[in-house]
Amino acid sequence: MQSKKFFVVLIISFMCLLAACGGTDDANGDGSATEGDGGGEAGSGEAVDYPTRDIELIVGWGAGGGSDSFGRAIALELEDILGVNVNVVNMEGSGGAIAGSYILNQAEPDGYTLWAMANYPATYLTGVNTNPLEAYAPVARIQYDTLGLHVTDASPFDTIEGMIEYAQENPGQLTIGGTGVGTFDEIAATVLEREFDIELNYVSFDSAGEMQADLLGGHINLLLEEFGPVNEYIQAGDMIPILAFADERIEEYPDVPAGGELGSENLTIGGMRGIVVHGDTPPEIVEILESALEEAKDTERYKQYERDSFLHLRDGWLNSEDYTESIQSTIELYDEILNGGQ
């Protein structure tokens, strides 16, 4: 009898040993399986706990412009989606390059400092921002803006044809305002000069509000600005759009000619706005932000903001991979415009 009991105990002990050695489905030892790739840090077996505190969204421009309104609109949606505060910080200067350098030099690559990037292809190409694209991790493009060329009701011309004629008769006398040096606006001004064989005097502003005020005050003759930030002035008759950088006429402004009508694709270029983080940010966090941004741009509140700001005229969304490719191709396009690809 004792021998039989000993044999049973031996079998039970052997079975327990096998379970302990081969129980891969209970790797944690508590009845739960270790998490794999889904949202976890590589090799850690743990889910990324992000975000757990406030996020800072850096806008490289002053208050009142398109980049500022974009940053605040997207931050509002991210707060609801991510469940933390998203604080917008205006860090104007050098066409957004100061903000771009801050992301790399002062901010930790942990996903808690975002950059509302607007002008990087232009500032990189012109040497204002010397940081290569590889230093950043583009998360998603949200907007692809439609730029307008505007004058006031006191201007000696109120059509694009009138502007061209005046500029050709008075070379270098027309001042045109844009945001920043070496930025998309300056490239757009260069496009106008080359396409129409005219000479303009480009004036740089750090603040869109200051730029708009200078046009209304008669200190500059022309203004490069998206339609949304100046729509109230257009509706009041204080500003007159004379050209839209678009393929076709804008439905809300049927009398304003589009650049595509004038026979040049360069007159249809638009500014991009998206979210970028430090290039060393863990890819799992980039994926979380990308997913949150895709959800954010589809909310009804954000869609209404786009309609109100005339940002719905072009589809802006690009995921992280496509956004990165688009930035690189835009740099090449601007290089061709400015330097003939040399």
Side-chain angles (χ1 to χ4, degrees), residues 32-73:
S32 63
T34 300
E35 292 187 33
D37 295 331
E41 296 184 13
S44 69
E46 297 180 1
V48 175
D49 191 12
Y50 171 87
T52 60
R53 55 183 171 85
D54 291 358
I55 292 174
E56 196 172 61
L57 177 59
I58 307 298
V59 175
W61 306 94
S67 292
D68 180 62
S69 63
F70 159 70
R72 296 182 187 281

Side-chain angles (χ1 to χ4, degrees), residues 18-224:
L18 286 177
C21 293
T24 56
D25 290 335
D26 187 16
N28 293 328
D30 59 0
S32 63
T34 300
E35 292 187 33
D37 295 331
E41 296 184 13
S44 69
E46 297 180 1
V48 175
D49 191 12
Y50 171 87
T52 60
R53 55 183 171 85
D54 291 358
I55 292 174
E56 196 172 61
L57 177 59
I58 307 298
V59 175
W61 306 94
S67 292
D68 180 62
S69 63
F70 159 70
R72 296 182 187 281
I74 206 69
L76 197 61
E77 306 306 326
L78 287 178
E79 286 187 332
D80 289 348
I81 295 167
L82 296 175
V84 297
N85 295 325
V86 180
N87 303 313
V88 176
V89 177
N90 294 93
M91 195 174 293
E92 62 190 79
S94 299
I98 290 177
S101 293
Y102 177 86
I103 291 293
L104 299 180
N105 300 326
Q106 278 77 42
E108 293 295 326
D110 54 11
Y112 287 96
T113 307
L114 317 180
W115 179 24
M117 194 182 81
N119 270 291
Y120 174 77
T123 56
Y124 176 70
L125 181 61
T126 56
V128 177
N129 186 337
T130 59
N131 300 302
L133 179 57
E134 293 75 18
Y136 300 101
V139 180
R141 190 184 79 177
I142 315 296
Q143 294 177 0
Y144 186 43
D145 296 348
T146 302
L147 188 67
L149 180 64
H150 310 275
V151 299
T152 69
D153 57 344
S155 172
F157 46 82
D158 59 4
T159 65
I160 188 64
E161 292 83 7
M163 187 278 288
I164 296 170
E165 181 180 355
Y166 188 96
Q168 289 176 341
E169 294 175 353
N170 302 274
Q173 296 302 305
L174 286 181
T175 52
I176 181 169
T179 48
V181 175
T183 62
F184 168 72
D185 285 357
E186 187 169 12
I187 286 178
T190 301
V191 167
L192 291 173
E193 290 181 312
R194 296 191 177 180
E195 293 297 327
F196 299 137
D197 193 23
I198 58 177
E199 181 182 348
L200 302 173
N201 182 13
Y202 180 77
V203 181
S204 167
F205 294 87
D206 285 333
S207 165
E210 180 186 3
M211 177 177 68
Q212 296 162 16
D214 269 23
L215 178 71
L216 293 170
H219 304 297
I220 57 176
N221 307 112
L222 299 161
L223 175 69
L224 288 165

Side-chain angles (χ1 to χ4, degrees), residues 246-267:
D247 296 305
E248 300 176 349
R249 297 198 178 202
I250 300 173
E251 181 179 351
E252 290 81 357
Y253 296 107
D255 296 329
V256 180
E261 299 176 35
L262 304 181
S264 171
E265 291 186 5
N266 290 339
L267 289 170

